Amino acid sequence: SNLEHKFKEINPTMKLALLATLATAATAFVAPSAPLTTRSPTQIFAEDEAEAAEVEEPAAPRSAAEISALTSSVKTIFSLEDINGILPHRYPFLLVDKVVEYEQGKRAVGIKGVTLNEPHFTGHFPNRPIMPGVLQVEALAQLAGIVCLQMEGAEPGAVFFFAGVDGVKWKKPVVPGDTLVMEVEIKKWNKRFGIASATGRAYVDGELAVELDEMKFALAK
């Protein structure tokens, strides 16, 4: 080409000068490489110590008094003796030990301590005791009964029957040593016919164990 021909006509000295100029211009378009950063040994050790400090240390052992105090704010509204005066149930089928929250005619929170001494654990199951799910539902119904039997149209000690239950879901096994914390809310109460409906749920260590959408029961006539 004409450019190649003209380049050949240039003397060697001028060729060298031209190549040097082109090389210098080309480096102007090359991004400078990032400077190499190094960390001193002191900086590395400091970072390692900071990471170690972020690791959570195991909690200190707690005394029996400290653990017992965790429930100090939970007050008993109805004791077992009070419940015996409201429900007709008795051992081994009384499944509410105490009531710790109560709104008359509306709701209640009750406690059931689960122990291996209960007779159903003999056969359910011999090598893996689990509280039967139907008894968990029965315990919720008894708690609802504590509310309903103190409403207008009912009287303490009256017998009431299960009329139906819907939407029961069991979330985790309930075993001896657990404390079942139950809550029920009365949705309907017909004082004329003694018919009630309620919702319920129960927890173990803050985790949902059982819940139901609706349970219905009626006073015996």
Side-chain angles (χ1 to χ4, degrees), residues 63-78:
S63 67
E66 290 173 315
I67 294 174
S68 177
L70 295 176
T71 57
S72 61
S73 63
V74 180
K75 305 301 181 183
T76 298
I77 306 299
F78 297 131

Side-chain angles (χ1 to χ4, degrees), residues 2 17 23 29 42 69 73 75 95 114-115 120-121 128 140 163 179:
N2 293 332
F29 296 95
T42 303
S73 63
K75 305 301 181 183
L95 302 176
V114 184
T115 74
H120 49 264
F121 288 124
R128 188 180 180 185
L140 288 167
T179 299

Side-chain angles (χ1 to χ4, degrees), residues 7 31 38 48 53-54 59 88 91 97 111 124 126 135 153 156 186 188:
F7 186 75
T38 59
D48 290 342
E54 293 177 359
Y91 177 86
D97 294 333
I111 306 296
H124 195 279
L135 291 187
I186 307 303
K188 295 179 182 178

Side-chain angles (χ1 to χ4, degrees), residues 21-149:
T21 301
L22 292 172
T24 303
T27 58
F29 296 95
V30 178
S33 59
L36 180 63
T37 58
T38 59
R39 294 182 299 170
S40 67
T42 303
Q43 183 181 1
I44 294 173
F45 293 142
E47 292 176 356
D48 290 342
E49 290 177 358
E51 292 177 359
E54 293 177 359
V55 178
E56 186 176 354
E57 296 183 359
R62 293 181 294 182
S63 67
E66 290 173 315
I67 294 174
S68 177
L70 295 176
T71 57
S72 61
S73 63
V74 180
K75 305 301 181 183
T76 298
I77 306 299
F78 297 131
S79 67
L80 185 59
E81 289 77 12
D82 297 325
I83 293 171
N84 280 333
I86 300 170
L87 292 180
H89 306 74
R90 293 295 182 267
Y91 177 86
F93 219 70
L94 179 57
L95 302 176
V96 183
D97 294 333
K98 63 181 177 179
V99 173
V100 296
E101 292 283 342
Y102 175 73
E103 293 182 52
Q104 186 173 4
K106 295 181 179 180
R107 61 179 288 273
V109 176
I111 306 296
K112 161 63 179 166
V114 184
T115 74
L116 190 61
N117 296 328
E118 297 171 68
H120 49 264
F121 288 124
T122 303
H124 195 279
F125 298 97
N127 296 319
R128 188 180 180 185
I130 296 174
M131 183 178 182
V134 293
L135 291 187
Q136 297 172 36
V137 175
E138 170 66 23
L140 288 167
Q142 291 183 17
L143 181 60
I146 292 173
V147 180
C148 291
L149 291 179

Side-chain angles (χ1 to χ4, degrees), residues 153-188:
E155 59 182 29
V159 174
F160 58 94
F161 301 128
F162 241 131
V165 60
D166 294 312
V168 182
K169 299 181 181 68
W170 288 276
K171 300 295 186 178
K172 61 176 294 184
V174 178
V175 300
D178 286 343
T179 299
L180 195 64
V181 181
M182 306 172 289
E183 181 176 15
V184 296
E185 183 177 353
I186 307 303
K187 293 298 186 180
K188 295 179 182 178

